[in-house]
Amino acid sequence: MKLTKLHQEMLQGKHGYAAQKSMEILNALGEIYEAERMVPVTSVQIAGVSYANLGEPGLDWLAQMAEDGQVRVLTTLNPAGMDLENWRVLGIDPEFAKNQERVIDAFAKMGIITTCTCTPYLVGNLPHFGEHIAWAESSAVCFANSVIGAKTNREGGPSALAAAITGFTPEYGYHLEKNRQAHIIITVKPSISGTAQFGTLGKVIGDILDANAEWTIPYITGISVANTDELKSFCASIATYGGTALFHMDGVTPNRTKIPKENIIVSENDLAQAEKELNEEDAKIDFVSIGCPHASLREIRHIAELVAGKHVKKETWITTARPTKQVADRMGYTKIIEATGIKFACDTCCVVAPIRGRFTGLCTDSAKGCYYGRGRNKFQTKHCSLEECIEEAFAE
Amino acid sequence: MTTKFEGRKISPGEVTGEALVTTQGLSFYGGVDPETGVIVEKDHELEGQSITGKVLVFPRGKGSTVGSYVLYQLAKTGKGPVAIINQETETIVAVGCIISDIPAIDRIPIEKIKTGQKLRVDATNGLVELP
C-alpha cells in the first residue's frame, strides 16, 4: 500500500484526531484487501444513523470524531430512526427522539448534510459515470455502481465516515475495472413492470446469486424498459437477497462488461414462487408502508391521484426524503394525501424506525421491506403493487 | 521453549492474556451482549462464555457492520477482549478494533492455540508468542 505525504501526515495525527483514526481505518482496510493505493472520492453516503442501531457506543464514537472532524467531500446521510420534525405524531418515544437528535447533531457538526435518505441520488448527491465514491446503504451502493456507473464498495458506517473525513478510499474491490465484470447471464423471460414486480425479480436473481458463491455480478437480459423507481426497487431487493453491489442490465445500465458464457433463465414460475414467499397467506394487515427505498415525486404524485377524497382504514405511512416532501407540499400532493389519513414519515424508514411490536402485518410494494419487516420487526408481510397497497389501506 | 507465530498487523498494541478459542465465526452485533461481553449467539460453541479480558481467537467475523460499534462499546466499558487473533480479519472486526484501540492480528494458524493458554500478542509487529 503506497501512501502519499498527505496520507502519512494524517496517520501521524498532523491533521487532527478524526483524520488520524480515519486514515488508520482506511489503511487497515487497504492492507486487508491488498489495495495498492488510495483514490480520491467525490461523494460519500453514510449509513448507521438510527439511534436504534448505533446505541450509546456508536453515538459516543461519532461525538469523539466530531470533536475535530470535518468532511472534505459532499457527504449525505441514510435514514434516521424517526421523522426529525414530525416524530410525535408518528408515536416515537421522546427519550429515543432526544438521542436521535444527538446523533444528527454530531453528523451536522462534521459538515455532513443531514438529508437522511436512502436515495441520495434523488436529492442532490448524484455522482456521474466512473467517479470513485464511498457509499454505505446497500440499495444506494447497488444503484450507484449499476445504474449510474460510479464506483464504490459496500461501505459500513465507520469506513464511509473515514472516507468523508479524509477524502480518500483504498482502491480495491469495485473500484477496479477487473472486479466489475459479469459472471453469469440471467435471462428474464416474463415482462416485468412496476416497483413490486421489479422487487420480486430482485429477490429471484438475488437468491440465485446468493446460492452460488462464484457468481456475484449478473448480466441481466430481457428487460426492455425500466424507470428510475423500478430500478431503485430492484436495487434494494437484489442487494437485500443477494448481497449484490453491481449488476449489468442489457440496454439499461451504462457499464461495459465481457459477456459470460453460462446462462440462467428466470421464468414466470420463478417469479410466482418468489411472490408466494413474500406473501404470508394468513397475514393480518394493520400497517401499510410505501417508500422503501424512499418514495420519489413520481410515486407521490401517483398516490395523490389514487387516494383523492377517500379515507384510510389502516395505519399507512409514506416514507420519503424531506426535500421530496417539500416539493410535494408545494404541488398540493401532501394536502390531498394527508386528508385521507395517510401519514408522511420523512428522514426515516420502516427498516430503521423502532416500530417492532406496534403492528402485526405489513403490506408494502417493497421486497426489501418484507425482508426487514419479518426479520427485524417480526411482522407478517403482504407484497403487492403500489395500487394494491393503497386499496389495502382503504379496505376494512 | 516459546512458539512464535508471525501474522499481519490489523490494529496496533501489545498485550498479554489468556486465550479463548473458537473454530466458528463470530458476529458481534446480535452475537455478543454489548453490556456484559457474554456470547449470546444461539448454538455457538462459546454460547454463555464471557470474552471480557480474553485474547479472543476465532477464524473470522460475520454479520452486520454495526458489530464494529459493539466492539467499541465493550472496550469503552471494560468488557471487551484485550486482543483479537483471526485467521482472516474482515471489515467489521478490523474497523471495530481500530476505533476501540484493541490490538488485532490475522493470518495466524489459530488451530494451534488452545483455550486457557497464556499468549503474548504484539500486534504492532504482527507477532503472537505461546510460552
Side-chain angles (χ1 to χ4, degrees):
Chain A
M1 181 90 171
K2 276 196 211 103
L3 294 182
T4 65
K5 191 162 162 258
L6 175 61
H7 304 144
Q8 296 283 5
E9 283 177 4
M10 285 179 174
L11 263 187
Q12 290 154 5
K14 287 182 184 162
H15 296 265
Y17 171 83
Q20 183 178 22
K21 272 284 153 194
S22 297
M23 193 47 79
E24 280 179 21
I25 291 171
L26 300 175
N27 189 42
L29 292 178
E31 295 285 344
I32 291 170
Y33 294 109
E34 294 169 355
E36 286 179 11
R37 55 175 189 166
M38 297 282 177
V39 286
V41 294
T42 51
S43 160
V44 173
Q45 165 78 0
I46 291 178
V49 181
S50 173
Y51 184 77
N53 283 338
L54 281 169
E56 206 50 33
L59 172 55
D60 201 42
W61 185 71
L62 289 174
Q64 211 183 332
M65 294 296 276
E67 289 281 317
D68 69 350
Q70 276 298 310
V71 298
R72 285 172 165 76
V73 297
L74 177 65
T75 305
T76 48
L77 277 191
N78 231 30
M82 63 181 197
D83 186 309
L84 297 173
E85 292 173 17
N86 202 28
W87 53 268
R88 277 190 186 84
V89 174
L90 296 161
I92 300 294
D93 171 40
E95 182 70 23
F96 179 88
K98 202 176 76 194
N99 287 323
Q100 184 63 70
E101 280 164 4
R102 288 163 65 213
V103 172
I104 300 299
D105 290 347
F107 281 124
K109 196 176 166 203
M110 289 185 267
I112 293 160
I113 299 170
T114 56
T115 40
C116 300
T117 178
C118 50
T119 59
Y121 48 87
L122 293 182
V123 296
N125 190 352
L126 179 62
H128 65 69
F129 182 84
E131 272 190 296
H132 292 285
I133 62 175
W135 281 20
E137 168 49 36
S138 64
S139 74
V141 165
C142 188
F143 192 95
N145 271 327
S146 314
V147 180
I148 300 169
K151 297 174 180 176
T152 180
N153 287 316
R154 274 164 68 109
E155 302 292 348
S159 63
L161 180 61
I165 285 175
T166 61
F168 293 94
T169 195
E171 189 184 40
Y172 68 91
Y174 291 103
H175 290 284
L176 299 168
E177 211 51 51
K178 68 176 163 95
N179 298 326
R180 297 174 64 88
Q181 302 295 311
H183 305 119
I184 177 78
I185 303 175
I186 306 270
T187 303
V188 181
K189 289 288 183 193
S191 76
I192 307 284
S193 74
T195 48
Q197 272 190 18
F198 268 91
T200 308
L201 179 66
K203 173 171 160 52
V204 171
I205 301 177
D207 285 344
I208 292 170
L209 300 175
D210 190 50
N212 294 277
E214 70 272 30
W215 302 335
T216 28
I217 305 173
Y219 180 85
I220 301 161
T221 66
I223 306 288
S224 49
V225 177
N227 71 24
T228 303
D229 297 332
E230 291 166 333
L231 288 169
K232 88 176 153 64
S233 175
F234 179 76
C235 286
S237 181
I238 195 172
T240 296
Y241 293 97
T244 307
L246 169 63
F247 64 85
H248 302 272
M249 195 179 273
D250 183 24
V252 176
T253 61
N255 293 292
R256 302 177 73 137
T257 177
K258 284 179 204 143
I259 310 296
K261 288 195 178 66
E262 276 184 280
N263 189 350
I264 301 247
I265 308 280
V266 171
S267 67
E268 195 73 62
N269 197 33
D270 296 326
L271 283 176
Q273 181 58 35
E275 202 59 73
K276 220 168 132 188
E277 287 168 31
L278 291 168
N279 282 281
E280 272 151 297
E281 266 176 33
D282 52 351
K284 286 188 191 64
I285 303 304
D286 55 358
F287 182 43
V288 180
S289 166
I290 294 162
C292 171
H294 272 169
S296 69
L297 270 173
R298 174 169 34 206
E299 288 171 311
I300 292 170
R301 185 184 60 186
H302 185 47
I303 294 167
E305 288 162 358
L306 292 171
V307 302
K310 300 184 190 168
H311 206 273
V312 286
K313 302 288 192 303
K314 290 168 189 138
E315 182 84 3
T316 302
W317 291 12
I318 299 172
T319 48
T320 189
R322 188 161 302 280
T324 306
K325 157 98 169 11
Q326 283 164 344
V327 181
D329 291 351
R330 168 184 291 177
M331 295 305 295
Y333 306 147
T334 308
K335 207 174 160 190
I336 295 168
I337 291 168
E338 285 185 336
T340 69
I342 295 175
K343 293 169 184 165
F344 275 90
C346 299
D347 316 310
T348 187
C349 79
C350 297
V351 173
V352 296
I355 51 173
R356 185 170 173 179
R358 280 179 61 184
F359 308 107
T360 311
L362 164 74
C363 174
T364 178
D365 65 334
S366 167
K368 173 179 181 172
C370 290
Y371 179 87
Y372 286 99
R374 284 181 190 181
R376 252 186 86 85
N377 292 322
K378 309 291 170 208
F379 297 152
Q380 297 174 313
T381 60
K382 176 179 174 182
H383 181 250
C384 54
S385 72
L386 188 144
E387 293 78 9
E388 289 164 321
C389 287
I390 295 297
E391 272 174 37
E392 181 70 49
F394 291 113
E396 290 291 345
Chain B
M1 203 187 83
T2 58
T3 313
K4 233 185 207 178
F5 299 120
E6 224 180 304
R8 178 171 71 159
K9 172 188 90 172
I10 299 294
S11 172
E14 196 189 324
V15 73
T16 302
E18 200 182 288
L20 177 66
V21 186
T22 172
T23 58
Q24 297 176 336
L26 197 58
S27 165
F28 286 90
Y29 183 63
V32 179
D33 185 328
E35 276 165 23
T36 61
V38 171
I39 295 177
V40 291
E41 183 178 331
K42 225 177 137 22
D43 299 326
H44 195 282
E45 62 182 18
L46 294 184
E47 187 183 352
Q49 299 211 43
S50 168
I51 65 173
T52 304
K54 298 284 163 52
V55 175
L56 186 58
V57 184
F58 58 103
R60 61 185 299 138
K62 59 176 186 179
S64 162
T65 53
V66 179
S68 303
Y69 291 125
V70 174
L71 266 172
Y72 183 82
Q73 173 166 15
L74 289 167
K76 282 285 141 174
T77 54
K79 299 286 184 188
V82 292
I84 284 180
I85 299 174
N86 289 153
Q87 218 157 45
E88 197 74 37
T89 302
E90 48 53 71
T91 315
I92 304 162
V93 171
V95 170
C97 288
I98 291 165
I99 66 179
S100 328
D101 294 313
I102 298 170
I105 304 183
D106 77 344
R107 301 205 173 152
I108 296 289
I110 62 166
E111 67 283 359
K112 296 193 175 145
I113 303 172
K114 302 273 173 292
T115 291
Q117 274 181 326
K118 208 166 178 192
L119 306 176
R120 195 176 85 85
V121 180
D122 176 1
T124 309
N125 294 302
L127 294 174
V128 176
E129 283 177 19
L130 280 72

